[in-house]
């Protein structure tokens, strides 16, 4: 068989190149366009895996402008939800619930610079993941007619600060605070509930950082929907 085998039978003549297409009047006197095919996002490697660095929970109380004691209720609620206290758990970096003061005054709202108007707490480490678990297991599924975290439309601006800084932020109404197990079990101790805003900070930077941060929160079962 090998003595009668002819290699030339399997040889294929190379195809002749096709003649160039005639140029249109628009292309005749112009240089060919340079196409820059950039990837839409960076490749994920072991060094660029999206990670959650911290969560900041912020709640503003308008009534504190006239009576700063109104902040006590939201301070105790945030402390119960997060379990954070200054130096709690032997962590020197734990600052607990902090009082936020106005950076500048506003005469129309009778607001003066330095007045306490809100409370916030920053979560890191295990406390951060415990909060996310309570949020997705007990709070979000029980909010009636809650579609999820809104996403800007495709035609929206891609130069927002939260997109560049890889921060995903959204707020929840006052009823959501009462759905946390730490509050629901002793709801009578909190005569008034307050809405709050959450900021999820990740380690992603640069272009498409918010997309990766959003994918990370989707893995934590946080729902999203496009407006």
């Amino acid at each position: 068989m090998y003595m009668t085998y002819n290699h030339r039978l399997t040889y294929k003549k190379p195809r002749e190149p096709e003649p160039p297409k005639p140029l249109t009047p628009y292309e005749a006197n112009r240089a060919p366009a340079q196409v820059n095919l950039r990837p839409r996002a960076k490749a994920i490697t072991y060094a660029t895996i999206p990670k959650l660095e911290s969560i900041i929970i912020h709640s503003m109380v308008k009534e504190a402008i006239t009576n700063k004691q109104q902040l006590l209720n939201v301070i105790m609620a945030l402390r119960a939800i997060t379990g954070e206290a200054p130096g709690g758990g032997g962590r020197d970096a734990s600052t607990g619930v902090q009082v936020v003061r106005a950076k500048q005054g506003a005469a129309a709202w009778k607001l003066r610079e330095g007045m306490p108007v809100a409370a916030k707490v920053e979560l890191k480490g295990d406390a951060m993941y415990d909060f996310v678990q309570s949020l997705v297991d007990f709070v979000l599924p029980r909010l009636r007619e809650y579609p999820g975290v809104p996403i800007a439309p495709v035609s929206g601006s891609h130069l927002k600060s939260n997109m560049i800084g890889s921060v995903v932020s959204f707020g929840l109404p006052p009823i959501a605070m009462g759905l946390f197990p730490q509050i629901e079990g002793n709801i009578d101790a909190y005569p008034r509930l307050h809405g709050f805003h959450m900021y999820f900070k990740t380690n992603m930077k640069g272009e498409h950082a918010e997309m990766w941060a959003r994918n990370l929160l989707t893995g934590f079962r946080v729902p999203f929907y496009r407006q």
Side-chain angles (χ1 to χ4, degrees), residues 3 5 18 22 32 49 59 64 71 73-75 77 79 88 93 97 101 105 108 125 138 158 175 187 192 194 213:
M3 294 180 65
Y5 180 77
E18 298 180 358
I49 296 177
S59 180
L71 282 174
N73 191 48
V74 70
I75 290 175
R79 182 174 295 180
V97 182
R101 299 180 180 272
F138 299 102
H158 294 280
I175 191 175
I187 192 67
R192 183 171 183 179
H194 300 272

Side-chain angles (χ1 to χ4, degrees), residues 104-116:
Q104 57 184 356
W109 297 333
K110 300 180 181 179
L111 181 65
R112 298 191 305 272
E113 182 180 357
M115 292 181 61

Side-chain angles (χ1 to χ4, degrees), residues 68-111:
K68 60 183 179 181
Q69 294 182 357
Q70 296 291 335
L71 282 174
L72 295 177
N73 191 48
V74 70
I75 290 175
M76 297 304 297
L78 291 180
R79 182 174 295 180
I81 291 173
T82 62
E84 288 293 288
R91 294 176 294 135
D92 296 335
S94 177
T95 57
V97 182
Q98 298 179 340
V99 176
V100 180
R101 299 180 180 272
K103 295 183 179 180
Q104 57 184 356
W109 297 333
K110 300 180 181 179
L111 181 65

Side-chain angles (χ1 to χ4, degrees), residues 9-137:
L9 296 177
T10 59
Y11 174 75
K12 294 183 179 179
K13 186 178 181 181
R15 182 181 300 179
E16 296 181 0
E18 298 180 358
K21 297 180 180 180
L23 297 177
T24 63
Y26 179 84
E27 299 173 338
N29 300 320
R30 289 175 173 82
Q34 299 293 331
V35 181
N36 186 12
L37 299 177
R38 295 190 307 166
R40 291 184 56 85
K42 297 179 180 179
I44 293 296
T45 64
Y46 71 94
T48 59
I49 296 177
K51 298 178 182 178
L52 192 60
E53 294 184 341
S54 66
I55 301 175
I56 296 179
I57 309 172
H58 178 275
S59 180
M60 181 177 180
V61 183
K62 295 186 295 183
E63 294 79 8
I65 297 177
T66 57
N67 184 6
K68 60 183 179 181
Q69 294 182 357
Q70 296 291 335
L71 282 174
L72 295 177
N73 191 48
V74 70
I75 290 175
M76 297 304 297
L78 291 180
R79 182 174 295 180
I81 291 173
T82 62
E84 288 293 288
R91 294 176 294 135
D92 296 335
S94 177
T95 57
V97 182
Q98 298 179 340
V99 176
V100 180
R101 299 180 180 272
K103 295 183 179 180
Q104 57 184 356
W109 297 333
K110 300 180 181 179
L111 181 65
R112 298 191 305 272
E113 182 180 357
M115 292 181 61
V117 292
K120 72 173 184 178
V121 58
E122 185 174 9
L123 303 177
K124 295 182 178 180
D126 294 338
M128 174 179 60
Y129 296 107
D130 292 340
F131 173 79
V132 174
Q133 183 175 5
S134 298
L135 180 68
V136 299
D137 287 344

